[in-house]
Amino acid sequence: MRHTAKTRQTVVCHLISDVLQLSGTARICVSGSSMLPSIRPGDILLLQRTELSEAAPGDIVLFAREDRLFAHRVISRDCKYGISCLVTCGDSLDKNDPPVFADELLGRVTSILRGQSQVHFRFTLPRRLISIFFRRSQFLTRCWLWLLTQQRSWTEEAACPR
């Protein structure tokens, strides 16, 4: 089972990378919670291929590492080992990621779709404050995710009455 999951992750990484290289744009559905409150599981990210030099602090970028995809916010630009890189971090994580180099960068998030609505993803002061709570409390994160799941099921039930 684990081998199948690893194989699937590898295929998805390569597929998204190829789509971005060929067409310049892609869409992916979020499954993780590292970008709460800005990005929720189930949100759709609209991506545009981008170069390292085009990514700026505050942008959310997609990168691949160890056959996994990560959509995290750019904190700053840096230079490690004489090579340009990005410093990134998930909004609800307390540690920065290892440097993101040009060969790992796939694209930049241009839009987020939540249901039928487009949501803003600027890192505003209220979102910064909320993300501090997520960084400090796994319990709060689990509660928030449970509430989001409940909200989705209530919304689906309202849209499709029996």
Side-chain angles (χ1 to χ4, degrees), residues 51-65:
E51 300 296 324
L52 195 77
S53 61
E54 299 169 326
D59 287 348
I60 298 173
V61 295
L62 182 76
F63 59 95
R65 182 171 287 151

Side-chain angles (χ1 to χ4, degrees), residues 6-62:
K6 180 72 169 170
T7 303
R8 183 179 184 278
Q9 283 180 281
T10 301
V11 170
V12 168
C13 280
H14 290 289
L15 183 62
I16 293 297
S17 178
D18 290 347
V19 168
L20 282 165
Q21 284 300 315
L22 292 171
S23 72
T25 63
R27 290 177 175 222
I28 63 168
C29 183
V30 175
S31 61
S33 59
S34 65
M35 285 297 291
L36 287 172
S38 300
I39 300 175
R40 301 175 183 173
D43 285 352
I44 304 294
L45 303 182
L46 282 64
L47 302 158
Q48 180 178 350
R49 182 180 60 227
T50 192
E51 300 296 324
L52 195 77
S53 61
E54 299 169 326
D59 287 348
I60 298 173
V61 295
L62 182 76

Side-chain angles (χ1 to χ4, degrees), residues 49-106:
R49 182 180 60 227
T50 192
E51 300 296 324
L52 195 77
S53 61
E54 299 169 326
D59 287 348
I60 298 173
V61 295
L62 182 76
F63 59 95
R65 182 171 287 151
E66 298 176 8
D67 292 329
R68 291 186 58 204
L69 296 173
F70 298 87
H72 285 173
R73 194 173 303 276
V74 176
I75 305 301
S76 64
R77 301 174 59 76
D78 202 356
C79 190
K80 295 282 185 199
Y81 320 112
I83 303 169
S84 293
C85 63
L86 300 174
V87 177
T88 61
C89 187
D91 287 356
S92 64
L93 302 178
D94 58 356
K95 293 183 181 176
N96 292 344
D97 303 315
V100 177
F101 295 98
D103 62 334
E104 298 172 304
L105 183 64
L106 299 177

Side-chain angles (χ1 to χ4, degrees), residues 2 29 35 38 45 51 56-57 68 102 126 131 135-136 148 151-152:
R2 196 142 179 82
C29 183
M35 285 297 291
S38 300
L45 303 182
E51 300 296 324
R68 291 186 58 204
S131 72
R135 287 181 197 148
R136 302 281 186 253
L148 291 174
Q151 178 192 23
R152 278 197 193 112

Side-chain angles (χ1 to χ4, degrees), residues 126-137:
R127 283 192 178 151
R128 286 177 197 258
L129 295 174
I130 292 169
S131 72
I132 290 169
F133 289 111
F134 287 125
R135 287 181 197 148
R136 302 281 186 253
S137 172

